[in-house]
Amino acid sequence: MPHAFDVSNGAIDASASVAPHPADWAFFLDLDGTLLDLAEAPDAVRPADDLQHVLTTLEAASGGALAIVTGRAVSFVDQLFAGHSFTVAGLHGAQLRLQGQGAPAIAARPAGFVAGARLARAAAQNGVLFEDKGDAFALHYRQAPAAAKDVHAVMTRAQQLAGADYKLRPGKFVVELAPARQDKGDALRHLMTLAPFLGRRPFAAGDDVTDEAMFKAARDLGGFGLRVGARADLAGSAAAMGLPNAAAFRHWIRSLTP
């Protein structure tokens, strides 16, 4: 098993001593940057060859208490993992699909939201990429980091057009406009009231500021979080431990089951 950063004291401890046992824990896993390596374009991400097997094995070992909690739409997760419908909290919890069910329908989009999306789409040039998530949209500037200020300005205007029902969610080289009614912490708390998550301790893993709500919720409910990223990124995190990248995290979760 790889070693993990212990955020509480900055040391590196063997993660075997803190690894959640599938029989007793519930697993809440972010997608991009955590389960998947980040890519230059949002639609270019691909799961590792064995990732679906790793996740279904962990899901079975935990009695089904595994959820993918992501800013992506549920339908996008289904495209990545063909033939298996995981429990997914998509769009930061605004969409919810329980294991084995179909993807939720996209709601009718208000005129202000459509106008904001049109504004953001027009700004997608010179390395800035537009991502349509159905009930949300985002501008990515990983290929054009100098455009950060302009992207934030455009998305701020888009949020004003969309109205108070939508919230900006900045992340790593991305600004997203998504429904304001839920965050990843709310999604975790809600799922923990449902079987098969009920009565277990929550473990949350993520790599970005939007995952901090999950880490806090897991901690409050007697579990803990793991943040994926450089050690410097862990300063001030609500996560209890960390791993340096998605590849290390995938290796770590493989070790949780025989």
Side-chain angles (χ1 to χ4, degrees):
M1 183 180 292
H3 291 255
F5 307 138
D6 179 346
V7 178
S8 64
N9 60 19
I12 298 179
D13 293 335
S15 58
S17 63
V18 292
H21 194 283
D24 305 313
W25 288 72
F27 296 85
F28 301 88
L29 310 178
D30 173 50
L31 192 63
D32 294 85
T34 304
L35 291 172
L36 306 180
D37 297 321
L38 294 173
E40 289 299 310
D43 60 354
V45 295
R46 296 290 184 272
D49 290 342
D50 69 338
L51 181 58
Q52 183 164 332
H53 173 71
V54 170
L55 293 177
T56 56
T57 300
L58 182 57
E59 181 184 60
S62 62
L66 181 146
I68 296 174
V69 186
T70 175
R72 302 279 197 166
V74 171
S75 58
F76 182 84
V77 180
D78 287 347
Q79 291 171 18
L80 291 177
F81 303 111
H84 188 84
S85 58
F86 292 100
T87 294
V88 181
L91 303 184
H92 305 276
Q95 290 183 337
L96 179 63
R97 193 276 305 286
L98 299 180
Q99 181 188 19
Q101 298 181 357
I106 295 175
R109 296 185 277 188
F113 176 91
V114 173
R118 189 179 301 118
L119 177 70
R121 190 185 294 272
Q125 52 189 311
N126 299 323
V128 176
L129 304 177
F130 177 82
E131 182 185 8
D132 187 349
K133 302 185 180 188
D135 292 332
F137 59 85
L139 282 179
H140 297 258
Y141 55 95
R142 183 174 297 275
Q143 299 179 27
K149 184 176 180 180
D150 291 340
V151 165
H152 280 262
V154 168
M155 291 298 288
T156 296
R157 177 57 182 151
Q159 190 278 326
Q160 292 169 347
L161 290 170
D165 289 339
Y166 294 88
K167 178 180 179 179
L168 290 180
R169 300 185 188 275
K172 292 180 178 177
F173 299 101
V174 61
V175 182
E176 178 179 357
L177 186 74
R181 61 184 180 272
Q182 290 278 359
D183 63 25
K184 290 185 176 184
D186 295 326
L188 185 152
R189 291 178 186 278
H190 175 64
L191 284 169
M192 285 294 293
T193 68
L194 306 177
F197 301 90
L198 183 65
R200 292 170 173 265
R201 296 178 67 187
F203 166 81
D207 75 309
D208 211 340
V209 64
T210 57
D211 298 306
E212 288 294 331
M214 266 206 309
F215 302 150
K216 292 174 183 175
R219 181 186 62 195
D220 291 347
L221 293 175
F224 72 95
L226 182 153
R227 182 153 176 170
V228 176
R231 187 193 292 266
D233 295 338
L234 299 173
S237 175
M241 58 187 289
L243 284 165
N245 51 48
F249 180 70
R250 290 192 298 270
H251 186 65
W252 189 80
I253 60 170
R254 287 186 192 103
S255 69
L256 298 180
T257 57

